Amino acid sequence: MDTGFFNGFSRKFLSMDRMRVIQSRKPVGVLCLLAIVLSCGSWGFLVHRTVAQLAIYQLPKQMRSFFYMNKLYLVKEAPRPDTRRNTDPTEGSKHFIDLEIYGDSAAWKMPMSEAEAIRIYTKDTLYRYGTLPYVVLRVKQQLTEAFRRGDRDSILYYATDLGHYIGDAHVPLHTAVNYDGQLTGQKGLHNLWESAVPDLEMNRYQLSDGHKARYLADPAAAIWEAVRHANALLPDVFGKEKEVAAAFPDSSKYHIEVRNGRESKNYSREFAKAYAQQLGKTVNEQLLHSASLIADFWYTAWVDGGRPDLNALLAAPLEKKDKKECRKEYKAYKNNRLIEDSLLLSRSRKWD
């Protein structure tokens, strides 16, 4: 992607426009925002819920039972930060970071510390152009403190939010001003890459790569590496769409939907399939990286929080049937059979 395309005016205008939508509290604004959340919610609800479940199986035994017994909460609530945008005007900027605003190689040059970034760029600038990696570190610390206090509800709350933001950091379009292809005639690309493609392809994805949670000596370096890797995928995200589009007339590239009396133009299923084929394993790999890093951050927060006995926080001791089900799921996970055995909650369960 040619970042030189973004002059100062277009950068400022697009980011302010994004923030106006986030901050709007009028009924019409809320409806528009809800439409954005439903169609372009970060990683899509499907993937956020999927990676939350996969991360549980990667935890050590001392943590796995607690997280497994609270799996339904962790998976169901995984999209919560997206829906929170409806009522919290400060939420939106936590899900992205417009790296090109900060100059060439910003992903390598920006401070890893939020305090240092505020000192250099000001808090208002960070809020306008996104704070995603800094939010991950902030919520990690909140989770660490929750572990230290042995606060069950707070552990689950912050673990869920942390997983969501880490998932967002693996979406390339969350690192760019051109977050929906709106600057390059590719509007709708956001939903195409992170929702439509995985929804079509999930049954063929590899959902286990043998990763086991590891301690992160430098969490800041870990989340920034994830952001850099996602950002480096942008040329393919945009380029592959243009390659596929060359073979699709508009009549088959898009389909029109009417919702509440309003028309919306979205990429067609056929186009999404062709785009997925061109992307290869990219989305699947980002999904796996996301789940692994979530497990790493959960584990690191637990260690930093003093390695509390999580079994003592369970509502009731594990029964034999619970242990049996946990072993069954873990085996299915390792053999990449969660979907075939109807054990992947994001696929097998209908959500309210």
Side-chain angles (χ1 to χ4, degrees), residues 23-63:
Q23 293 170 329
S24 173
R25 304 187 72 112
K26 296 179 182 179
V28 173
V30 171
L31 289 175
C32 291
L33 178 57
L34 182 58
I36 291 172
V37 169
L38 291 175
S39 65
C40 299
S42 44
W43 251 139
F45 285 15
L46 171 66
V47 181
H48 273 306
R49 285 175 168 145
T50 296
V51 297
Q53 183 172 346
L54 299 184
I56 293 171
Y57 306 124
Q58 300 175 21
L59 296 172
K61 290 182 179 179
Q62 304 98 306
M63 299 181 69

Side-chain angles (χ1 to χ4, degrees), residues 20 24-27 34 62 75 105 109 130 135 141 155 161 166 182-183 202 210 229 241 262 274 285 308 324 333:
R20 286 193 192 102
S24 173
R25 304 187 72 112
K26 296 179 182 179
L34 182 58
Q62 304 98 306
V75 174
S105 301
K109 296 177 180 177
V135 168
Q141 188 57 38
I155 289 169
D161 277 11
I166 291 172
Q182 75 280 5
L183 295 178
M202 183 71 76
H229 182 73
E241 192 277 347
R262 300 181 64 179
E285 289 171 351
K324 183 178 179 181
Y333 161 73

Side-chain angles (χ1 to χ4, degrees), residues 262-277:
R262 300 181 64 179
E263 285 190 355
S264 64
K265 184 169 74 170
N266 300 299
Y267 286 98
S268 68
R269 183 182 180 88
E270 292 72 26
F271 188 91
K273 285 183 177 179
Y275 183 58
Q277 185 175 0

